[in-house]
Structure formats: structure tokens, C-alpha cells
């Protein structure tokens, strides 16, 4: 312990952080200055990782919640050798590896993308759950710690209530969170918006709470020692810190704790940038420099961490030699390998609701995929994830041998936790709720897409056919919203999200196959509450036909030289099949019917294939239980789409079908009207 070097290192972090913000002319310097002491002590003395192997699966992990404090992270990681001086100098600039909010970059120590407050530490809770789950299966090898860092804003975000409740309920003693409590927010002081007792709140959830002076290094160590020794509870360390710690005015007067220091360069406040640098021991002529003594100290820190990681790896090698099958299983889990799965063997009941078909698949997966955690927002018996639960068990405090997480009514928290499970690695997360409540999950779905995480979303009760529950529970615009993500490319240039709305039970089996095999991006399965008629068999089997879903769309009914192509997804495909059979008998026209389970995947196919399903210059009619925009791009300028342009009503689903026109009779009438409007000669 060297108090002088510890203080010098913390001040170096502060100087680097404010220099980044100053050069970029934007950013958040004040909080970075307040959190520097904790970060230095945590990373030099507590956080276990291998600097030569940043993806080491047994490493401790640090989850930042307050992404606006990116300058704090980059400064700390620069001392650790993860970022170059030039990276800091290009903070927030085009093409830099130091964006305004941290983006997942494990090789440089960044475990999660953060920025939307509250989600970062919820992802940390997910990682802690994943570690507990894996430890229960592998001799407690995954006994590493998950550290979180949160600020006043993150504590206030509603998602923190769900994360706090779940972490306490499960007794996640492997989760340790530092709360940088400085009483300052971006536009106000915290006492203007809240007077809650944060310590009592977390204690009521079952957390150990320790309050310290966040600038006192001995108190930081004492708190971290107690947190690491805790065996039953997650720990919240409330660090009382000072916004803009170390700032001074032009005449050298201390200027700390002010709201204006939060979100703009120091030079734009009453503090003086150059004098503050001098106060921190930095050279204003080279403010991005690492102090010599600090550089020497960190060289020793890195050598020590590498040596200790090598010791841990040697112990694992002994275990690996003694447990070759389990060791191979760990490797396969983290590589994302799947066992040999036969989705075609899954028995599906005739004419089943796709949520029930999903339950059958989940039951099969519970018996065949060992590293899956399925979660439901208090709806497992309705979204039918109980198909998995019936062959597994609920995750509990001190018992993570099961695979089902009862998240309670907390859709956003559940989704963010799933992101954290995926970020940890080794575990496949599945989350479920009603489709209309995807609205609650959207911020986390977006971060799934941005971080390229293979989370599986299950959304049931996919249309107005929810019926009597009325407009609040009947999704109308949700499919259009979710499918927008199919049109967005992620930073790897891939379609950022895959949305699958299967047309019958067998297509649901194939949709699950597609979801599990998609290891690059999140996938959503949009499933019906009501029963759906099975689609006809065209080839050797319905399953073989449905495998064409992997192209995003295919013909479920095909004739040569069709007069019109009907397109839909989900339950509307069966309605169009019925309408096509009726029309072919009554008006003698030739009809193709296509199931377009994913427009995004369909658009990735060759133009030739796309036009073989939906002719470019032919007549196209679409039917959707949501907004017409769901299919309008597929139907093209000459096409017509019949959909809903209003909210639903409370009534039985069969009545709503009649009132809204989602019947074979009305579909036929709409198709004939469309053809007549386009001067097609119909022989009756």
C-alpha cells in the first residue's frame, strides 16, 4: 500500500479524463473525477483478469452503468495499457475506439455497451446469474465476481428497482456494485428530485449495504474486502464522492461539487482547466501524459495480474485433466456450439396455436440443451414457457441447478438481464412475455441489437385476437416497430435483428431452429394465442416444406403462371390459403400463397429467389393483423395490403375477426376488388 502513488494515480485518471473532454469539446468530466479513486483501487488491487488474455472466461467482469463516464473508463484502461495515448486524444471522434459512450470491446476491457441509464448494472446482474448457473454445473469454477458502477441517475431509473429486487431475491453474492453518490445530476441537484433512503431501499431487497467516503482509499479497500467475503447477499457500496473532485478556479480556489461540472468541458465552467491540471499534478503542455511513477506502478500491477492469472490457469489445467468431458462441455458452451438437435422429431398437435407449438419445442430443448436459461415476466403458463419449466426448475437462492428464471412483472429488467447473460457467455438466454409488452422491453431489445447478442425473445398473444382483454393488450403497431430493427444494420454490417412470425405449428419448430442457430444477433418469435390451421404439405413433409422459412419467405401454395400472389405471415397465412381455395373454385383464377416469416431474411436472398416468390410485376395482395406497413414494402407499388389502422376492442376473437374483416369471405372480397380496380378480367 502506497498512499502517495494511489493518490497520484487517481489524480492522473482525473487529468486524463478532463483532457479528453476538453479536447473533444464535449463529454462528462465531473463524475469521472469523482469516481477515479474507486476505479484505481478496484483495478489495481481487486479485479482479477489476465492482461495477456482479455477473453479469459474465468475473469472478473466490470459492468459500467453510467456510460456517460466513458472518459473515466478510458483513462483507467489507458493506465492498464488497453488504450493508446492517441485513442484518448481522439475521444468522441469519427473512427476512434473511444466513443462518447462505451461500446463493448472486451479486448480493451469494456464488457458492455452502456449509456441508457439503469441497463448497465442490470446486465451485470445477468452476468452474475450466468456465473452462478455455470458454477452449479462445473464444481464452482465460475466463482469470479461481477462488479458494477452506478450513479444517481441509474439508481433513479425504474429498471434499477427490478434489478435490485431480483439480485437480492437470488442472493447474488458474486455481484458487487459501487454507487457513485455525489448528489449532482445533469440539470439539478439530487435533492430536487428525490429524498429516498437508498441504503434502506437496497437493504429491504436483501442487499448488504456499506456507506463510505468514496475518496478514502482505506475505506474503499475495507468495503471491497467485506463485499468479497459476503456469502449470501449482493453488496452495494455507497461511495460519497464529490463531483469535479480536484477542480479549482483561475485564482486556485477549490471549485468542486457543482452541477455545471457534470456535463461540459471544465473550461466552460467557473473552474479553470489549466489550473485544475496543475492542481492534479499534470503538465498543461502535455495533459495526456501518464506520470512516470504511475506508469512504473502500473507495469508492476500488470505483471502481478498476469502471474496470478497464470496460477489460476494452472489449477484449471489440473481440473481439466481430471474432468475432460466437463472441460470439453465448458468449451462448447462458450463457443456457442449446439448439441445435435432434431427439430423435425418434435411432435406437434394438429392445428395448434403457435404459442403451444413453442411450448413443445421448449420442452424438447429443456431435455437436450443444458446451457439455457428461460425467463418469463410472470406469464409462463400463458406465454407457454412452462413447456420448459415443466422439465426444469426455477433458479433459487443457493440453488442454480435449474434453468428457469421467474423474473416477475419486470419486462425491461428481464430483457436487460438476458443481455448480461449473453455478455457473460456460456449460456443461452430466452425471455418471454406478451407481444404488446415488447413496448416495455424496447430499450433492452435495442441494446441486444447494438451489442450483437443472440438473445431469444418469445412474444405471444400476437394480434387483436387476444380478444376480450381489449385494446391495451392487443398488439397493432408492435410488429411494425420490431421489424424496423430488421431494416437496420449493426456495426458488423449484419441485419441487426431477426423477427419471426411463424404461420403454423411446424413452422414454429423451424423458427426455433433458426433462432438457436442465429449466434450473431437477437431473434424474436412472434406467436399466436389462438389455434391456427396447419398449412398444406407440398413436398415430402410439412417440416421439409417449412425449412424454406430459413430464406425468410417461401411459397406454401404454388401454381404455374399465377394470376396473383397472396402474402402474409403468422395466422393470416392460413386465412389466405382458405381464400385461395375458395377463389380458385368460384372465379377460376390461379393463385400462389407465400409465408414471409421474416422480411429481413427474405431481402437477403437473391433477387431471382425473391421474385420467384413475389413476382416483381405481378398482382400482390397482403393480409396482416397489424399495420398495413408490415407488408407494403413486399407488396410493392402495384400491390395492396389489408390490415388494421386502428386499435382493437374488447370482444371475443371470433367477433373481432368478423368486425375487422379477417375472414375468408372478406379476404376473397378484398382480393376481387383489388383485381377489378386493376382491370383484371375475372371470369365468374
Amino acid at each position: 500500500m502506497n498512499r502517495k502513488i494511489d493518490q497520484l494515480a487517481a489524480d492522473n485518471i482525473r487529468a486524463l479524463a478532463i483532457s479528453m473532454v476538453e479536447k473533444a469539446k464535449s463529454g462528462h468530466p465531473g463524475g469521472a473525477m469523482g469516481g477515479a479513486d474507486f476505479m484505481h483501487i478496484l483495478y489495481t488491487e481487486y479485479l482479477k483478469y489476465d492482461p495477456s488474455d482479455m477473453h479469459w472466461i474465468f475473469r472478473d467482469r466490470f459492468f459500467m452503468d453510467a456510460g456517460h463516464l466513458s472518459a473515466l473508463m478510458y483513462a483507467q484502461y489507458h493506465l492498464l495499457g488497453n488504450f493508446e495515448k492517441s485513442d484518448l486524444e481522439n475521444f468522441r471522434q469519427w473512427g476512434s475506439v473511444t466513443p462518447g459512450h462505451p461500446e463493448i470491446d472486451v479486448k480493451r476491457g469494456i464488457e458492455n455497451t452502456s449509456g441508457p441509464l439503469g441497463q448497465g448494472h442490470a446486465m451485470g446482474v445477468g452476468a452474475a446469474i450466468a456465473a452462478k448457473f455455470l458454477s452449479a454445473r462445473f464444481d464452482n469454477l465460475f466463482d469470479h465476481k461481477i462488479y458494477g458502477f452506478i450513479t444517481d441517475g441509474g439508481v433513479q431509473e425504474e429498471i434499477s428497482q427490478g434489478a435490485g429486487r431480483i439480485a437480492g431475491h437470488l442472493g447474488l453474492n458474486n455481484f458487487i456494485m459501487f454507487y457513485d453518490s455525489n448528489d449532482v445530476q445533469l440539470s439539478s441537484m439530487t435533492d430536487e428530485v428525490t429524498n429516498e433512503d437508498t441504503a434502506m431501499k437496497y437493504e429491504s431487497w436483501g442487499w448488504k449495504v456499506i456507506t463510505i467516503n468514496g475518496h478514502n482509499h482505506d475505506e474503499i479497500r475495507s468495503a471491497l474486502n467485506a463485499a468479497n467475503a459476503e456469502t449470501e447477499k449482493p453488496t452495494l457500496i455507497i461511495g460519497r464522492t464529490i463531483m469535479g473532485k480536484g477542480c479549482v478556479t483561475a485564482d486556485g480556489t477549490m471549485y468542486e461539487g457543482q452541477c455545471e461540472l457534470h456535463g461540459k468541458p471544465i473550461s466552460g465552467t467557473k473552474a479553470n482547466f489549466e489550473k485544475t491540471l496543475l492542481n492534479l499534478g499534470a503538465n498543461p503542455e502535455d495533459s495526456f501524459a501518464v506520470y512516470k511513477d504511475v506508469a512504473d506502478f502500473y507495469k508492476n500491477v500488470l505483471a502481478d495480474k498476469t502471474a496470478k492469472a497464470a496460477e489460476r490457469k494452472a489449477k484449471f489445467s489440473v481440473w481439466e485433466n481430471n474432468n475432460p468431458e466437463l472441460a470439453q462441455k465448458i468449451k462448447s458452451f462458450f463457443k456457442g456450439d449446439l448439441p445435435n438437435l432434431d427439430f423435425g422429431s418434435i411432435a406437434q398437435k394438429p392445428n395448434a396455436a403457435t404459442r403451444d407449438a413453442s411450448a413443445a419445442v421448449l420442452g424438447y430443448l429443456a431435455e437436450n440443451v443444458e446451457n439455457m436459461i428461460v425467463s418469463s415476466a410472470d406469464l409462463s403458463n400463458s406465454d407457454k414457457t412452462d413447456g420448459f419449466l415443466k422439465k426444469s426448475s426455477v433458479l433459487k437462492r443457493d440453488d442454480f441447478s435449474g434453468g428457469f428464471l421467474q423474473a416477475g412483472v419486470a419486462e425491461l429488467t428481464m430483457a436487460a438481464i438476458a443481455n448480461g447473460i449473453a455478455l457473460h457467455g456460456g449460456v443461452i438466454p430466452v425471455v418471454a412475455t406478451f407481444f404488446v409488452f415488447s413496448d416495455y422491453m424496447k430499450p433492452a431489445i435495442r441494446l441486444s441489437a447494438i451489442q450483437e447478442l443472440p438473445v431469444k425473445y418469445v412474444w405471444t398473444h400476437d394480434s387483436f385476437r387476444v380478444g376480450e382483454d381489449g385494446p391495451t393488450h392487443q398488439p397493432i403497431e408492435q410488429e411494425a416497430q420490431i421489424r424496423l430493427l430488421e431494416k437496420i444494420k449493426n456495426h458488423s454490417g449484419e441485419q441487426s435483428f431477426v423477427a419471426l412470425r411463424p404461420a403454423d405449428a411446424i413452422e414454429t419448430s423451424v423458427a426455433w431452429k433458426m433462432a438457436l442457430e442465429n449466434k450473431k444477433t437477437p431473434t424474436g418469435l412472434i406467436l399466436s394465442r389462438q389455434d391456427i390451421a396447419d398449412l398444406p404439405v407440398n413436398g415430402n413433409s410439412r417440416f421439409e416444406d417449412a425449412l424454406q422459412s430459413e430464406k425468410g419467405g417461401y411459397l406454401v401454395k404454388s401454381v404455374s403462371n399465377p394470376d396473383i400472389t397472396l402474402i402474409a405471415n403468422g395466422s393470416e397465412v392460413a386465412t389466405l390459403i382458405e381464400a385461395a381455395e375458395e377463389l380458385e373454385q368460384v372465379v377460376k383464377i390461379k393463385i400462389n400463397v407465400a409465408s414471409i416469416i421474416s422480411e429481413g431474411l427474405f431481402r437477403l436472398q437473391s433477387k431471382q429467389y425473391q421474385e420467384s416468390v413475389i413476382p416483381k410485376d405481378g398482382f400482390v395482395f397482403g393480409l396482416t393483423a397489424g399495420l398495413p406497413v408490415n407488408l407494403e414494402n413486399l407488396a410493392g407499388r402495384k400491390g395492396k395490403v389489408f390490415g388494421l389502422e386502428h386499435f382493437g376492442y374488447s370482444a371475443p376473437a371470433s367477433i373481432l375477426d368478423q368486425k375487422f374483416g379477417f375472414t375468408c369471405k372478406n379476404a376473397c372480397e378484398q382480393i376481387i376488388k383489388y383485381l377489378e380496380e386493376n382491370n383484371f378480367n375475372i371470369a365468374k
Side-chain angles (χ1 to χ4, degrees):
M1 186 187 304
N2 185 326
R3 286 185 170 83
K4 181 178 178 181
I5 196 66
D6 288 332
Q7 187 60 54
L8 198 60
D11 284 343
N12 201 167
I13 293 170
R14 294 183 176 100
L16 291 169
I18 66 171
S19 296
M20 280 185 269
V21 175
E22 195 70 26
K23 189 172 188 298
K25 297 182 173 59
S26 69
H28 299 76
M33 300 177 81
D37 298 287
F38 177 80
M39 288 290 278
H40 166 69
I41 297 299
L42 174 67
Y43 268 89
T44 56
E45 300 181 27
Y46 291 88
L47 199 128
K48 301 169 185 173
Y49 73 102
D50 184 352
S52 67
D53 180 11
M54 295 296 285
H55 287 86
W56 181 38
I57 63 173
F58 298 110
R59 68 188 183 277
D60 289 344
R61 290 157 172 81
F62 176 82
F63 279 76
M64 175 58 83
D65 189 274
H68 59 281
L69 298 187
S70 58
L72 170 62
M73 298 179 73
Y74 302 147
Q76 176 65 76
Y77 298 164
H78 177 48
L79 299 187
L80 292 165
N82 297 353
F83 288 90
E84 301 296 329
K85 183 179 181 181
S86 59
D87 295 330
L88 273 58
E89 292 173 331
N90 286 311
F91 177 57
R92 286 179 163 240
Q93 304 309 300
W94 173 259
S96 74
V97 293
T98 48
H101 290 83
E103 297 172 18
I104 181 171
D105 188 353
V106 175
K107 72 178 182 180
R108 292 185 175 89
I110 299 173
E111 298 282 357
N112 65 296
T113 296
S114 55
L117 294 180
Q119 290 196 58
H121 80 297
M123 287 187 268
V125 170
I129 290 171
K132 288 281 189 182
F133 176 92
L134 292 167
S135 266
R137 287 151 178 80
F138 298 106
D139 294 340
N140 200 35
L141 285 172
F142 294 86
D143 60 350
H144 50 269
K145 299 296 184 182
I146 311 297
Y147 293 93
F149 189 111
I150 199 167
T151 56
D152 293 294
V155 167
Q156 288 168 30
E157 276 289 355
E158 289 88 344
I159 190 175
S160 71
Q161 318 306 308
R165 170 181 58 80
I166 291 172
H169 179 70
L170 293 177
L172 299 179
N173 67 299
N174 59 340
F175 187 62
I176 300 167
M177 184 163 69
F178 179 73
Y179 168 27
D180 184 51
S181 177
N182 55 39
D183 297 330
V184 180
Q185 299 183 209
L186 182 62
S187 66
S188 71
M189 305 301 286
T190 57
D191 61 10
E192 295 179 48
V193 300
T194 181
N195 63 352
E196 74 177 8
D197 188 322
T198 302
M200 287 184 67
K201 179 173 71 174
Y202 277 84
E203 286 170 352
S204 74
W205 287 328
W207 288 57
K208 175 196 285 287
V209 179
I210 305 168
T211 301
I212 63 170
N213 176 347
H215 300 302
N216 185 305
H217 297 177
D218 289 337
E219 290 188 28
I220 293 171
R221 291 186 181 95
S222 178
L224 285 170
N225 287 339
N228 275 275
E230 175 59 45
T231 59
E232 297 181 356
K233 301 177 180 181
T235 298
L236 178 70
I237 300 171
I238 301 178
R240 302 295 301 169
T241 62
I242 299 172
M243 173 69 69
K245 174 70 173 173
C247 282
V248 297
T249 62
D251 64 5
T253 303
M254 296 304 299
Y255 187 75
E256 302 173 325
Q258 302 299 314
C259 186
E260 68 168 342
L261 297 171
H262 188 296
K264 57 184 175 181
I266 296 299
S267 63
T269 72
K270 296 181 182 67
N272 181 275
F273 175 62
E274 289 76 15
K275 288 296 180 66
T276 297
L277 285 173
L278 290 169
N279 186 51
L280 296 171
N283 176 7
E285 299 300 317
D286 188 11
S287 64
F288 285 93
V290 176
Y291 309 161
K292 183 182 183 306
D293 289 348
V294 172
D296 292 341
F297 176 78
Y298 268 85
K299 285 180 183 177
N300 292 330
V301 167
L302 292 171
D304 181 62
K305 287 187 181 296
T306 303
K308 288 180 177 176
E311 292 176 8
R312 176 72 184 269
K313 288 180 175 182
K315 291 180 181 178
F316 176 71
S317 292
V318 173
W319 180 90
E320 190 175 28
N321 290 332
N322 293 331
N323 301 274
E325 291 184 6
L326 287 177
Q328 181 56 43
K329 189 176 289 187
I330 290 175
K331 291 177 181 177
S332 68
F333 283 3
F334 276 84
K335 284 172 61 181
D337 293 340
L338 292 171
N340 291 323
L341 299 172
D342 184 2
F343 287 89
S345 71
I346 300 172
Q348 295 289 9
K349 294 180 180 178
N351 308 313
T354 51
R355 65 167 175 164
D356 292 324
S358 174
V361 178
L362 284 167
Y364 173 80
L365 296 177
E367 295 179 319
N368 290 279
V369 181
E370 297 178 64
N371 61 324
M372 180 179 285
I373 293 178
V374 177
S375 185
S376 176
D378 192 40
L379 291 169
S380 58
N381 57 343
S382 198
D383 59 32
K384 299 301 179 180
T385 48
D386 61 357
F388 186 94
L389 177 57
K390 289 172 183 176
K391 297 182 179 180
S392 182
S393 60
V394 174
L395 300 178
K396 300 175 184 177
R397 176 190 297 266
D398 299 325
D399 182 5
F400 283 75
S401 60
F404 198 92
L405 173 61
Q406 291 285 21
V409 186
E411 292 87 356
L412 175 57
T413 302
M414 176 180 69
I417 284 174
N419 285 342
I421 291 171
L423 286 168
H424 181 280
V427 185
I428 302 168
V430 178
V431 291
T433 187
F434 291 171
F435 192 31
V436 75
F437 300 138
S438 64
D439 288 348
Y440 281 134
M441 310 169 86
K442 183 60 165 54
I445 298 168
R446 190 168 188 269
L447 278 188
S448 292
I450 288 174
Q451 295 178 99
E452 304 177 22
L453 302 177
V455 177
K456 320 303 175 190
Y457 292 91
V458 176
W459 294 309
T460 66
H461 297 59
D462 68 347
S463 72
F464 65 83
R465 297 181 184 91
V466 172
E468 292 89 341
D469 283 340
T472 60
H473 282 55
Q474 294 174 21
I476 305 299
E477 74 280 15
Q478 279 70 23
E479 184 179 352
Q481 293 172 171
I482 290 299
R483 290 205 184 277
L484 286 175
L485 287 171
E486 287 201 311
K487 302 178 188 297
I488 298 175
K489 294 286 194 295
N490 57 33
H491 286 172
S492 295
E494 305 274 355
Q495 176 184 323
S496 73
F497 191 91
V498 176
L500 305 173
R501 188 168 179 242
D504 67 359
I506 299 300
E507 210 171 278
T508 304
S509 293
V510 173
W512 263 111
K513 177 179 183 292
M514 294 165 67
L516 281 181
E517 291 176 354
N518 178 16
K519 302 173 186 178
K520 295 181 178 180
T521 60
T523 306
L525 282 75
I526 305 169
L527 307 172
S528 75
R529 178 198 188 196
Q530 81 284 355
D531 291 345
I532 299 175
D534 291 336
L535 299 184
V537 177
N538 291 322
N540 295 324
S541 70
R542 175 68 191 121
F543 183 78
E544 188 176 299
D545 293 345
L547 285 174
Q548 296 175 84
S549 295
E550 294 175 342
K551 295 180 179 179
Y554 66 106
L555 292 174
V556 293
K557 179 184 178 303
S558 177
V559 298
S560 299
N561 302 312
D563 296 311
I564 186 172
T565 299
L566 311 182
I567 62 172
N569 59 42
S571 53
E572 290 83 85
V573 178
T575 303
L576 290 181
I577 288 286
E578 185 181 359
E581 293 172 349
E582 177 77 14
L583 287 172
E584 285 180 332
Q585 291 182 11
V586 175
V587 295
K588 309 302 181 185
I589 57 176
K590 298 165 70 176
I591 301 174
N592 277 359
V593 181
S595 173
I596 312 295
I597 192 171
S598 164
E599 180 182 353
L601 292 178
F602 184 68
R603 291 304 191 194
L604 293 177
Q605 308 308 311
S606 68
K607 290 293 183 184
Q608 181 180 8
Y609 178 78
Q610 291 182 48
E611 291 179 14
S612 73
V613 177
I614 306 176
K616 181 179 180 181
D617 298 317
F619 292 114
V620 180
F621 177 87
L623 181 66
T624 175
L627 293 172
V629 72
N630 289 339
L631 298 175
E632 284 175 343
N633 191 45
L634 289 163
R637 287 183 299 172
K638 287 180 58 178
K640 178 180 179 180
V641 176
F642 183 86
L644 280 183
E645 294 180 322
H646 56 77
F647 292 119
Y649 293 87
S650 177
S654 60
I655 301 299
L656 295 178
D657 271 327
Q658 295 287 334
K659 295 294 185 182
F660 295 164
F662 285 81
T663 62
C664 173
K665 178 183 177 182
N666 188 60
C668 290
E669 291 174 356
Q670 292 293 329
I671 293 165
I672 291 173
K673 180 182 177 182
Y674 161 63
L675 290 173
E676 290 177 339
E677 288 173 347
N678 285 272
N679 302 314
F680 181 85
N681 185 24
I682 298 177
K684 298 184 181 179

